[in-house]
Amino acid sequence: DDAGRNDAGRNDSHRPGRAAARSRNADADDGNRMIGRTRGADGDGDGDGDNKQETDEGAKTSADSASARIKAQEIRHDEEEILLDRVKFTDRTDDSHTQLSKLDQCILLALCLDVKDLNPHKDALTSEQMSAYLERVLRQSDDWTVYATALLERAWLECERTHGRERAILQIQALADQHTNRLTLTQSTFRAAVEDSAPPRERLRHLHRIVYPPRWALMRDLADRYAKIGAVTAAAELYETLELWDEAVECHRVAGRGKMAERMVRDRLREGETPRMWCALGDLTRDPRCYEKSLELSGGRFSPAYVALGHYHFDKGQLRDASTNYRKAVEVKPLVPAVWFRLGTVSMQLGQWDAALKAFSEVVQQEPEEGDAWANVAAVHMRNRNPKEAYPALVESLKQNRNNWRVWQTKLYTCIDLRKYDEAIQAFPGITGF
């Protein structure tokens, strides 16, 4: 990636020079033509010399103006805007380090992983703490496995940053390509793929001292990250290589290649029928019989088929059938807040208020930050004329989303019923401000 960035910089820096050269050549040709016309008209040697001098001066002035215009159009970046590989010290003596042994490098990597294990919820502070260990290990490149592990950990950290995500994914791609001799984007020559590759004995030397994923896990991680940033075609190719057909079909469907995805699913079904493949075929063809076949093969234990049938009946306006399938889906797999939320919505439309209250209560238990679910819990309580139960749900909903005027209006009516007039007055700006 560094090499690519340097090449880009060189190309940008040389473009203005080539443009200026072309301008000077064009002006010189114009000057020569002007000299020829002057000689033919006057026939005087002294006049030719004066005209030639004037033409040369005009060509030089034109070339200088062209160079000035090109320099004015150049995009110059301040040194503070460039993302460097490592910290640049003003005093080089502050950047002096001793040589570490391979065992010391492995210990630093272990300490880095310890920071990640002690802070499962990644934040900026955890990333900075881990980066300190990785930065020290990456100053030495005397062992392939240790260095590759540090590069991979740094790439995973940079994937969480907006400005470093693309570079980090290319770094993971380069590490994955080093497990093969094929010519790829990151190793485009035979020398890079074979001759400069570390031999197996060097790669396995410190394998038990570090935590480095196997090749298939690294490729799976790379495919997931490609799919997350929208590069679904590249992700589909990796999923097909790993024979992860469900993810490959989904990527082809998102990319608008429905026929290719359907052909892939039917090929998988010819080799062996599975509930997941029948469900994927139903998603592509919108045929409910595919979902029923999926449930038949799974013995009624495949929750996504119930969810897909619920979506199908909901889109058709068949709310009772949709409610039945959603309820079966949460019986098989209860820890899915999105399905509970859809069940609660359908139950409210059917007038089944107790079922709706139970569904939305499950949502807020599994996802306490779901503001819409809290608002629906309050709405059900207000429908049942129970403002005391609705009030705390409204407070939680407004903690998550203060820009919903309907929730403010419901809180206004609830506070009036509870005779909390001061809070009712405070709810007015939330209503009139939107």
Side-chain angles (χ1 to χ4, degrees), residues 137-219:
V137 175
L138 289 174
R139 288 184 176 275
Q140 299 179 211
S141 58
D142 48 2
D143 185 82
W144 186 92
T145 308
V146 176
Y147 194 71
T149 303
L151 286 175
L152 181 60
E153 289 290 341
R154 187 181 68 174
W156 283 341
L157 292 179
E158 289 186 349
C159 281
E160 306 299 329
R161 304 171 184 171
T162 303
H163 298 291
R165 186 173 295 121
E166 294 184 5
R167 183 176 73 174
I169 292 178
L170 287 177
Q171 179 65 78
I172 299 175
Q173 177 74 66
L175 293 173
D177 292 341
Q178 290 186 3
H179 293 280
T180 178
N181 292 333
R182 295 184 303 171
L183 298 182
T184 60
L185 175 65
T186 58
Q187 50 183 24
S188 57
T189 61
F190 178 80
R191 178 178 179 180
V194 179
E195 295 179 357
D196 294 342
S197 179
R201 62 179 180 274
E202 292 186 9
R203 302 190 182 199
L204 299 176
R205 184 174 300 166
H206 302 283
L207 183 63
H208 299 287
R209 294 182 177 180
I210 60 173
V211 181
Y212 193 80
R215 179 173 180 266
W216 64 267
L218 187 59
M219 294 181 64

Coordinates of all heavy atoms in Angstrom, one line a residue, residues 137-219:
V137 N 6.6 -3.4 17.7 CA 7.0 -4.7 17.0 C 7.2 -4.5 15.5 O 8.1 -5.1 14.9 CB 5.8 -5.7 17.2 CG1 6.1 -7.0 16.4 CG2 5.6 -6.0 18.7
L138 N 6.5 -3.6 14.9 CA 6.7 -3.3 13.4 C 7.9 -2.6 13.1 O 8.2 -2.5 11.9 CB 5.4 -2.6 12.9 CG 4.1 -3.3 12.9 CD1 3.0 -2.4 12.5 CD2 4.2 -4.5 11.9
R139 N 8.7 -2.1 14.0 CA 10.0 -1.5 13.7 C 11.0 -2.5 13.3 O 12.1 -2.2 12.8 CB 10.5 -0.7 14.9 CG 9.7 0.6 15.1 CD 10.2 1.4 16.3 NE 9.5 2.7 16.4 CZ 9.7 3.7 15.7 NH1 10.7 3.7 14.8 NH2 9.0 4.8 15.8
Q140 N 10.8 -3.8 13.6 CA 11.7 -4.9 13.2 C 10.9 -5.8 12.3 O 9.8 -6.2 12.5 CB 12.2 -5.6 14.4 CG 13.0 -4.7 15.4 CD 13.5 -5.5 16.6 OE1 13.7 -4.9 17.7 NE2 13.8 -6.7 16.4
S141 N 11.6 -6.3 11.3 CA 11.0 -7.2 10.3 C 11.9 -8.4 10.1 O 12.1 -8.8 9.0 CB 10.7 -6.5 9.0 OG 11.9 -6.0 8.4
D142 N 12.4 -9.0 11.2 CA 13.3 -10.1 11.1 C 12.7 -11.5 11.2 O 13.3 -12.5 11.2 CB 14.4 -10.0 12.2 CG 13.8 -9.7 13.5 OD1 12.6 -9.7 13.6 OD2 14.6 -9.5 14.5
D143 N 11.3 -11.5 11.3 CA 10.6 -12.8 11.4 C 9.3 -12.6 10.7 O 8.5 -11.7 11.0 CB 10.4 -13.3 12.8 CG 9.8 -14.7 12.9 OD1 10.5 -15.6 12.8 OD2 8.6 -14.8 13.0
W144 N 9.0 -13.5 9.7 CA 7.8 -13.4 8.9 C 6.5 -13.5 9.7 O 5.6 -12.7 9.6 CB 7.8 -14.5 7.8 CG 6.7 -14.4 6.8 CD1 6.7 -13.7 5.7 CD2 5.3 -14.9 7.0 NE1 5.5 -13.7 5.0 CE2 4.6 -14.5 5.8 CE3 4.7 -15.6 7.9 CZ2 3.3 -14.8 5.6 CZ3 3.3 -16.0 7.8 CH2 2.6 -15.6 6.6
T145 N 6.4 -14.5 10.6 CA 5.2 -14.8 11.3 C 4.9 -13.7 12.3 O 3.8 -13.2 12.4 CB 5.3 -16.1 12.1 OG1 5.7 -17.1 11.1 CG2 4.0 -16.5 12.7
V146 N 5.9 -13.2 13.0 CA 5.7 -12.2 14.0 C 5.3 -10.9 13.3 O 4.4 -10.2 13.7 CB 7.0 -12.0 14.9 CG1 6.8 -10.8 15.8 CG2 7.3 -13.2 15.6
Y147 N 6.0 -10.5 12.2 CA 5.7 -9.3 11.5 C 4.3 -9.3 10.9 O 3.6 -8.3 10.9 CB 6.8 -9.1 10.5 CG 6.8 -7.7 9.9 CD1 7.3 -6.6 10.6 CD2 6.4 -7.5 8.6 CE1 7.3 -5.3 10.1 CE2 6.4 -6.2 8.1 CZ 6.9 -5.1 8.8 OH 6.9 -3.9 8.3
A148 N 4.0 -10.5 10.3 CA 2.7 -10.6 9.7 C 1.5 -10.5 10.7 O 0.5 -9.9 10.5 CB 2.5 -11.9 8.9
T149 N 1.8 -11.0 11.9 CA 0.8 -10.9 13.0 C 0.6 -9.5 13.4 O -0.6 -9.0 13.6 CB 1.2 -11.8 14.2 OG1 1.4 -13.1 13.8 CG2 0.1 -11.7 15.3
A150 N 1.6 -8.7 13.5 CA 1.5 -7.3 13.9 C 0.8 -6.5 12.8 O 0.0 -5.7 13.1 CB 2.9 -6.8 14.2
L151 N 1.1 -6.8 11.5 CA 0.5 -6.1 10.4 C -1.0 -6.4 10.4 O -1.8 -5.5 10.2 CB 1.1 -6.6 9.1 CG 2.5 -6.0 8.8 CD1 3.0 -6.6 7.5 CD2 2.5 -4.5 8.6
L152 N -1.4 -7.7 10.7 CA -2.8 -8.0 10.7 C -3.6 -7.4 11.8 O -4.7 -6.8 11.6 CB -2.9 -9.6 10.8 CG -4.3 -10.1 10.8 CD1 -5.0 -9.8 9.5 CD2 -4.3 -11.6 11.0
E153 N -3.0 -7.3 13.0 CA -3.6 -6.7 14.1 C -3.8 -5.2 13.9 O -4.8 -4.6 14.2 CB -2.8 -6.9 15.4 CG -2.9 -8.3 16.0 CD -4.2 -8.6 16.5 OE1 -5.0 -7.7 16.8 OE2 -4.5 -9.8 16.7
R154 N -2.7 -4.5 13.3 CA -2.9 -3.1 13.0 C -3.9 -2.9 11.9 O -4.7 -1.9 12.0 CB -1.5 -2.6 12.5 CG -1.5 -1.1 12.3 CD -0.2 -0.6 11.8 NE 0.1 -1.0 10.4 CZ 1.1 -0.6 9.7 NH1 2.0 0.3 10.2 NH2 1.3 -1.0 8.5
A155 N -4.0 -3.8 10.9 CA -5.1 -3.6 9.9 C -6.4 -3.7 10.5 O -7.4 -3.0 10.1 CB -4.9 -4.7 8.8
W156 N -6.6 -4.7 11.4 CA -7.9 -4.8 12.1 C -8.3 -3.5 12.9 O -9.5 -3.1 12.9 CB -7.9 -6.0 13.0 CG -8.1 -7.3 12.3 CD1 -8.5 -7.5 11.0 CD2 -7.7 -8.6 12.8 NE1 -8.5 -8.8 10.7 CE2 -8.0 -9.5 11.8 CE3 -7.2 -9.0 14.0 CZ2 -7.8 -10.9 11.9 CZ3 -7.0 -10.4 14.1 CH2 -7.3 -11.3 13.1
L157 N -7.3 -2.9 13.5 CA -7.6 -1.6 14.2 C -7.9 -0.5 13.2 O -8.8 0.3 13.5 CB -6.3 -1.2 15.0 CG -6.0 -2.1 16.2 CD1 -4.8 -1.6 17.0 CD2 -7.2 -2.2 17.2
E158 N -7.2 -0.4 12.1 CA -7.4 0.6 11.1 C -8.7 0.5 10.4 O -9.2 1.5 9.8 CB -6.3 0.7 10.1 CG -5.0 1.2 10.7 CD -3.9 1.5 9.7 OE1 -4.1 1.0 8.5 OE2 -2.9 2.1 10.0
C159 N -9.3 -0.7 10.4 CA -10.6 -0.9 9.7 C -11.7 -0.2 10.5 O -12.7 0.1 9.9 CB -10.9 -2.4 9.7 SG -10.1 -3.3 8.3
E160 N -11.5 0.2 11.7 CA -12.4 0.9 12.5 C -12.4 2.4 12.2 O -13.2 3.2 12.7 CB -12.3 0.6 14.0 CG -12.3 -0.8 14.4 CD -13.6 -1.5 14.0 OE1 -14.6 -0.8 14.1 OE2 -13.6 -2.7 13.7
R161 N -11.3 2.8 11.5 CA -11.2 4.3 11.2 C -11.6 4.6 9.8 O -11.3 3.8 8.9 CB -9.7 4.7 11.4 CG -9.1 4.4 12.8 CD -7.6 4.6 12.8 NE -7.1 4.2 14.1 CZ -5.8 4.1 14.4 NH1 -4.9 4.5 13.4 NH2 -5.3 3.7 15.6
T162 N -12.2 5.7 9.6 CA -12.7 6.0 8.3 C -11.6 6.2 7.3 O -11.7 5.7 6.2 CB -13.6 7.3 8.4 OG1 -14.6 7.1 9.4 CG2 -14.2 7.6 7.1
H163 N -10.6 7.0 7.7 CA -9.5 7.3 6.7 C -8.6 6.2 6.5 O -7.8 6.2 5.5 CB -8.7 8.5 7.2 CG -9.6 9.7 7.4 ND1 -10.1 10.4 6.3 CD2 -10.0 10.4 8.5 CE1 -10.8 11.5 6.7 NE2 -10.8 11.5 8.0
G164 N -8.5 5.1 7.3 CA -7.6 4.1 7.1 C -8.2 2.7 6.7 O -7.5 1.7 6.6
R165 N -9.5 2.7 6.4 CA -10.2 1.5 6.2 C -9.8 0.8 4.9 O -9.5 -0.4 4.9 CB -11.7 1.7 6.2 CG -12.6 0.4 6.1 CD -14.0 0.7 6.3 NE -14.3 1.2 7.6 CZ -14.9 2.3 7.9 NH1 -15.2 3.1 6.9 NH2 -15.1 2.7 9.1
E166 N -9.7 1.6 3.8 CA -9.3 1.0 2.5 C -7.9 0.5 2.6 O -7.6 -0.6 2.0 CB -9.5 2.0 1.4 CG -11.0 2.4 1.2 CD -11.1 3.4 0.0 OE1 -10.1 3.7 -0.6 OE2 -12.2 3.9 -0.2
R167 N -7.0 1.2 3.2 CA -5.6 0.8 3.2 C -5.5 -0.5 4.1 O -4.7 -1.4 3.8 CB -4.8 1.9 3.8 CG -3.3 1.5 3.9 CD -2.5 2.7 4.4 NE -2.6 2.9 5.8 CZ -1.9 3.8 6.5 NH1 -1.0 4.6 5.9 NH2 -2.1 4.0 7.8
A168 N -6.3 -0.6 5.2 CA -6.3 -1.7 6.0 C -6.8 -3.0 5.3 O -6.2 -4.1 5.4 CB -7.1 -1.5 7.3
I169 N -7.8 -2.8 4.5 CA -8.4 -4.0 3.8 C -7.4 -4.4 2.7 O -7.2 -5.7 2.5 CB -9.7 -3.6 3.1 CG1 -10.8 -3.4 4.3 CG2 -10.2 -4.7 2.2 CD1 -12.1 -3.0 3.7
L170 N -6.7 -3.5 2.1 CA -5.6 -3.9 1.1 C -4.5 -4.6 1.8 O -3.9 -5.6 1.3 CB -5.1 -2.7 0.4 CG -6.0 -2.1 -0.7 CD1 -5.4 -0.9 -1.3 CD2 -6.3 -3.1 -1.8
Q171 N -4.2 -4.2 3.1 CA -3.2 -4.9 3.9 C -3.6 -6.4 4.2 O -2.8 -7.3 4.1 CB -2.9 -4.2 5.1 CG -1.9 -4.8 6.1 CD -0.5 -4.8 5.4 OE1 0.2 -3.8 5.4 NE2 -0.1 -6.0 4.9
I172 N -4.8 -6.5 4.5 CA -5.3 -7.9 4.8 C -5.3 -8.7 3.5 O -5.0 -9.9 3.5 CB -6.8 -7.8 5.4 CG1 -6.7 -7.1 6.7 CG2 -7.3 -9.2 5.6 CD1 -8.1 -6.8 7.3
Q173 N -5.7 -8.1 2.4 CA -5.6 -8.8 1.1 C -4.2 -9.2 0.8 O -4.0 -10.4 0.3 CB -6.1 -7.8 0.0 CG -6.0 -8.4 -1.4 CD -7.1 -9.5 -1.6 OE1 -8.3 -9.2 -1.6 NE2 -6.7 -10.7 -1.9
A174 N -3.2 -8.4 1.1 CA -1.8 -8.8 0.8 C -1.4 -9.9 1.7 O -0.7 -10.8 1.3 CB -0.9 -7.6 1.1
L175 N -1.8 -9.9 3.0 CA -1.5 -11.1 3.9 C -2.1 -12.3 3.4 O -1.5 -13.4 3.5 CB -1.9 -10.7 5.3 CG -1.1 -9.6 5.9 CD1 -1.7 -9.2 7.3 CD2 0.4 -10.0 6.1
A176 N -3.3 -12.3 2.9 CA -4.0 -13.5 2.4 C -3.4 -14.0 1.2 O -3.3 -15.2 1.0 CB -5.5 -13.2 2.2
D177 N -2.9 -13.1 0.3 CA -2.3 -13.5 -0.9 C -0.9 -14.1 -0.7 O -0.5 -14.9 -1.6 CB -2.1 -12.3 -1.9 CG -3.4 -11.8 -2.4 OD1 -4.4 -12.5 -2.3 OD2 -3.5 -10.6 -2.8
Q178 N -0.3 -13.9 0.4 CA 1.0 -14.5 0.6 C 0.9 -16.0 0.9 O 1.9 -16.7 1.1 CB 1.7 -13.8 1.8 CG 2.1 -12.4 1.5 CD 3.0 -11.7 2.6 OE1 3.2 -12.3 3.6 NE2 3.3 -10.5 2.4
H179 N -0.3 -16.5 1.1 CA -0.5 -17.9 1.3 C -0.6 -18.7 0.0 O -1.0 -19.9 0.0 CB -1.7 -18.2 2.2 CG -1.5 -17.7 3.6 ND1 -0.8 -18.4 4.5 CD2 -1.9 -16.6 4.2 CE1 -0.8 -17.8 5.7 NE2 -1.5 -16.6 5.5
T180 N -0.5 -18.0 -1.1 CA -0.7 -18.7 -2.4 C 0.4 -18.2 -3.4 O 1.0 -17.1 -3.2 CB -2.1 -18.3 -3.0 OG1 -2.2 -19.0 -4.3 CG2 -2.2 -16.8 -3.2
N181 N 0.7 -19.0 -4.4 CA 1.7 -18.6 -5.5 C 1.0 -18.0 -6.7 O 1.7 -17.7 -7.7 CB 2.5 -19.8 -5.9 CG 3.3 -20.4 -4.8 OD1 3.8 -19.6 -3.9 ND2 3.6 -21.7 -4.8
R182 N -0.3 -17.8 -6.6 CA -1.0 -17.2 -7.8 C -0.6 -15.7 -7.9 O -0.3 -15.0 -6.9 CB -2.5 -17.3 -7.6 CG -3.0 -18.8 -7.7 CD -4.5 -18.8 -7.7 NE -5.0 -18.1 -6.5 CZ -6.3 -17.9 -6.3 NH1 -7.1 -18.2 -7.2 NH2 -6.6 -17.3 -5.2
L183 N -0.7 -15.1 -9.1 CA -0.5 -13.7 -9.3 C -1.8 -13.0 -8.9 O -2.8 -13.3 -9.5 CB -0.1 -13.4 -10.7 CG 1.2 -14.1 -11.2 CD1 1.5 -13.7 -12.6 CD2 2.4 -13.7 -10.3
T184 N -1.7 -12.1 -8.0 CA -2.9 -11.3 -7.6 C -2.6 -9.8 -7.6 O -1.6 -9.4 -8.1 CB -3.2 -11.8 -6.1 OG1 -2.1 -11.5 -5.3 CG2 -3.5 -13.2 -6.0
L185 N -3.6 -9.1 -7.1 CA -3.4 -7.6 -7.1 C -2.2 -7.2 -6.3 O -1.5 -6.3 -6.7 CB -4.7 -7.0 -6.5 CG -4.7 -5.5 -6.4 CD1 -4.6 -4.8 -7.8 CD2 -5.9 -5.0 -5.7
T186 N -2.0 -7.8 -5.2 CA -0.9 -7.3 -4.3 C 0.4 -8.0 -4.6 O 1.5 -7.6 -4.1 CB -1.3 -7.6 -2.8 OG1 -1.5 -9.0 -2.6 CG2 -2.5 -6.8 -2.4
Q187 N 0.5 -9.1 -5.3 CA 1.7 -9.7 -5.8 C 1.5 -10.0 -7.3 O 1.1 -11.1 -7.6 CB 2.1 -11.0 -5.0 CG 1.0 -12.0 -4.8 CD 1.4 -13.1 -3.9 OE1 2.3 -13.0 -3.0 NE2 0.8 -14.3 -4.0
S188 N 1.9 -9.1 -8.1 CA 1.6 -9.1 -9.5 C 2.8 -9.7 -10.3 O 2.7 -9.7 -11.6 CB 1.3 -7.7 -10.0 OG 2.3 -6.8 -9.7
T189 N 3.9 -10.1 -9.7 CA 5.0 -10.6 -10.4 C 5.4 -12.0 -9.9 O 5.1 -12.3 -8.7 CB 6.3 -9.7 -10.3 OG1 6.6 -9.5 -9.0 CG2 5.9 -8.3 -10.9
F190 N 6.1 -12.8 -10.7 CA 6.6 -14.1 -10.2 C 7.6 -14.0 -9.1 O 7.6 -14.8 -8.2 CB 7.2 -14.8 -11.4 CG 7.7 -16.2 -11.0 CD1 6.9 -17.3 -10.9 CD2 9.1 -16.4 -10.8 CE1 7.4 -18.5 -10.6 CE2 9.6 -17.6 -10.4 CZ 8.7 -18.7 -10.3
R191 N 8.4 -12.9 -9.1 CA 9.4 -12.8 -8.0 C 8.7 -12.5 -6.7 O 9.0 -13.1 -5.7 CB 10.3 -11.6 -8.4 CG 11.3 -11.3 -7.3 CD 12.2 -10.2 -7.7 NE 13.2 -9.9 -6.7 CZ 14.1 -9.0 -6.8 NH1 14.2 -8.2 -7.9 NH2 15.0 -8.7 -5.8
A192 N 7.6 -11.7 -6.7 CA 6.9 -11.4 -5.5 C 6.1 -12.6 -5.0 O 6.0 -12.8 -3.8 CB 6.0 -10.2 -5.7
A193 N 5.6 -13.4 -5.9 CA 4.8 -14.5 -5.5 C 5.6 -15.7 -5.1 O 5.1 -16.5 -4.2 CB 3.9 -14.9 -6.7
V194 N 6.8 -15.9 -5.6 CA 7.5 -17.2 -5.4 C 8.9 -16.9 -4.8 O 9.2 -17.4 -3.7 CB 7.6 -18.0 -6.7 CG1 8.4 -19.3 -6.4 CG2 6.3 -18.3 -7.2
E195 N 9.7 -16.1 -5.5 CA 11.1 -16.0 -5.1 C 11.3 -15.2 -3.8 O 12.1 -15.6 -3.0 CB 11.9 -15.2 -6.2 CG 11.9 -16.0 -7.6 CD 12.7 -15.2 -8.6 OE1 13.1 -14.1 -8.3 OE2 12.9 -15.8 -9.7
D196 N 10.5 -14.2 -3.6 CA 10.6 -13.4 -2.4 C 9.7 -13.9 -1.2 O 9.7 -13.3 -0.1 CB 10.2 -11.9 -2.6 CG 11.2 -11.3 -3.6 OD1 12.3 -11.8 -3.7 OD2 10.9 -10.2 -4.1
S197 N 9.0 -15.0 -1.4 CA 8.2 -15.5 -0.4 C 9.0 -16.3 0.6 O 9.9 -17.0 0.3 CB 7.1 -16.5 -1.0 OG 6.3 -17.0 -0.1
A198 N 8.6 -16.1 1.9 CA 9.3 -16.8 3.0 C 9.0 -18.3 2.9 O 7.9 -18.7 2.7 CB 8.8 -16.3 4.3
P199 N 10.0 -19.1 3.1 CA 9.9 -20.6 3.1 C 9.0 -21.1 4.3 O 8.9 -20.4 5.3 CB 11.3 -21.1 3.1 CG 12.1 -20.0 3.7 CD 11.5 -18.7 3.3
P200 N 8.5 -22.2 4.2 CA 7.6 -22.7 5.2 C 8.3 -22.9 6.6 O 7.7 -22.6 7.6 CB 7.1 -24.1 4.7 CG 7.3 -24.0 3.2 CD 8.4 -23.1 3.0
R201 N 9.6 -23.2 6.6 CA 10.3 -23.4 7.9 C 10.4 -22.1 8.7 O 10.3 -22.1 9.9 CB 11.6 -24.0 7.7 CG 12.6 -23.1 6.8 CD 14.0 -23.8 6.7 NE 14.9 -23.0 5.9 CZ 15.0 -23.0 4.6 NH1 14.1 -23.8 3.9 NH2 15.8 -22.3 4.0
E202 N 10.5 -21.0 7.9 CA 10.5 -19.7 8.6 C 9.1 -19.3 9.1 O 9.0 -18.6 10.2 CB 11.0 -18.6 7.7 CG 12.5 -18.8 7.3 CD 13.1 -17.6 6.5 OE1 12.3 -16.6 6.4 OE2 14.2 -17.7 6.0
R203 N 8.1 -19.6 8.4 CA 6.7 -19.2 8.8 C 6.3 -20.0 10.0 O 5.5 -19.5 10.8 CB 5.8 -19.5 7.6 CG 6.1 -18.7 6.4 CD 5.0 -18.7 5.3 NE 5.3 -18.0 4.1 CZ 4.5 -17.6 3.2 NH1 3.2 -17.8 3.4 NH2 4.8 -17.0 2.1
L204 N 6.7 -21.2 10.1 CA 6.3 -22.1 11.2 C 7.2 -22.0 12.5 O 6.9 -22.7 13.4 CB 6.2 -23.6 10.7 CG 5.3 -23.8 9.6 CD1 5.4 -25.3 9.1 CD2 3.8 -23.5 10.0
R205 N 8.2 -21.2 12.4 CA 9.2 -21.3 13.5 C 8.6 -20.8 14.8 O 8.9 -21.4 15.8 CB 10.4 -20.4 13.1 CG 11.6 -20.4 14.1 CD 12.7 -19.6 13.5 NE 13.2 -20.2 12.3 CZ 14.0 -19.6 11.4 NH1 14.4 -18.3 11.7 NH2 14.4 -20.2 10.3
H206 N 7.8 -19.7 14.8 CA 7.3 -19.2 16.0 C 5.7 -19.3 16.0 O 5.0 -18.4 16.6 CB 7.7 -17.7 16.2 CG 9.2 -17.5 16.2 ND1 9.9 -17.8 17.3 CD2 10.0 -17.1 15.2 CE1 11.2 -17.5 17.0 NE2 11.3 -17.1 15.8
L207 N 5.2 -20.3 15.4 CA 3.8 -20.4 15.2 C 3.1 -20.6 16.6 O 2.0 -20.1 16.8 CB 3.4 -21.6 14.3 CG 2.0 -21.8 14.0 CD1 1.4 -20.6 13.2 CD2 1.8 -23.1 13.2
H208 N 3.7 -21.3 17.5 CA 3.0 -21.6 18.8 C 3.2 -20.5 19.8 O 2.7 -20.5 20.9 CB 3.6 -22.9 19.4 CG 3.3 -24.1 18.5 ND1 2.1 -24.6 18.3 CD2 4.1 -24.8 17.7 CE1 2.1 -25.6 17.5 NE2 3.4 -25.8 17.1
R209 N 3.9 -19.4 19.5 CA 4.1 -18.3 20.4 C 3.2 -17.1 20.1 O 3.0 -16.3 21.0 CB 5.6 -17.7 20.2 CG 6.7 -18.7 20.7 CD 8.0 -18.0 20.6 NE 9.1 -18.9 21.0 CZ 10.4 -18.5 21.0 NH1 10.7 -17.4 20.6 NH2 11.3 -19.4 21.5
I210 N 2.5 -17.2 19.0 CA 1.6 -16.0 18.6 C 0.2 -16.6 18.3 O 0.0 -17.8 18.3 CB 2.2 -15.3 17.4 CG1 2.3 -16.2 16.2 CG2 3.5 -14.6 17.8 CD1 2.7 -15.5 15.0
V211 N -0.7 -15.7 18.0 CA -2.0 -16.0 17.6 C -2.2 -15.5 16.2 O -2.5 -14.3 15.9 CB -3.1 -15.4 18.5 CG1 -4.5 -15.8 18.1 CG2 -2.8 -15.9 19.9
Y212 N -2.1 -16.4 15.2 CA -2.3 -16.0 13.8 C -3.3 -16.9 13.2 O -3.3 -18.2 13.3 CB -1.0 -16.2 13.0 CG -1.0 -15.6 11.6 CD1 -0.8 -14.2 11.5 CD2 -1.2 -16.3 10.5 CE1 -0.8 -13.6 10.3 CE2 -1.2 -15.7 9.2 CZ -1.0 -14.4 9.1 OH -1.1 -13.8 7.9
P213 N -4.3 -16.4 12.5 CA -5.5 -17.2 12.0 C -5.1 -18.1 10.9 O -4.1 -17.7 10.1 CB -6.5 -16.2 11.6 CG -5.7 -15.0 11.3 CD -4.5 -15.0 12.2
P214 N -5.7 -19.2 10.6 CA -5.5 -20.0 9.4 C -5.9 -19.2 8.2 O -6.6 -18.2 8.3 CB -6.3 -21.2 9.7 CG -7.4 -20.8 10.6 CD -6.7 -19.8 11.5
R215 N -5.5 -19.8 7.1 CA -5.8 -19.0 5.8 C -7.3 -18.9 5.5 O -7.7 -17.8 5.1 CB -5.1 -19.8 4.6 CG -5.3 -19.2 3.3 CD -4.5 -19.8 2.2 NE -4.7 -19.2 0.9 CZ -5.6 -19.7 0.0 NH1 -6.4 -20.7 0.3 NH2 -5.8 -19.0 -1.1
W216 N -8.0 -19.9 5.8 CA -9.5 -19.8 5.5 C -10.2 -18.8 6.4 O -11.1 -18.1 5.9 CB -10.1 -21.2 5.6 CG -10.1 -21.8 7.0 CD1 -9.2 -22.6 7.6 CD2 -11.1 -21.5 8.0 NE1 -9.5 -22.9 8.9 CE2 -10.7 -22.2 9.2 CE3 -12.2 -20.7 8.1 CZ2 -11.4 -22.2 10.4 CZ3 -13.0 -20.7 9.3 CH2 -12.5 -21.4 10.4
A217 N -9.7 -18.7 7.6 CA -10.3 -17.7 8.5 C -9.9 -16.3 8.1 O -10.8 -15.4 8.2 CB -9.9 -18.0 9.9
L218 N -8.7 -16.1 7.6 CA -8.3 -14.8 7.1 C -9.1 -14.4 5.9 O -9.5 -13.3 5.8 CB -6.8 -14.9 6.8 CG -6.1 -13.5 6.5 CD1 -6.3 -12.5 7.6 CD2 -4.6 -13.7 6.2
M219 N -9.3 -15.4 5.0 CA -10.1 -15.0 3.8 C -11.5 -14.8 4.1 O -12.2 -13.9 3.5 CB -9.9 -16.2 2.8 CG -8.5 -16.4 2.2 SD -8.4 -17.7 1.0 CE -9.5 -17.1 -0.3

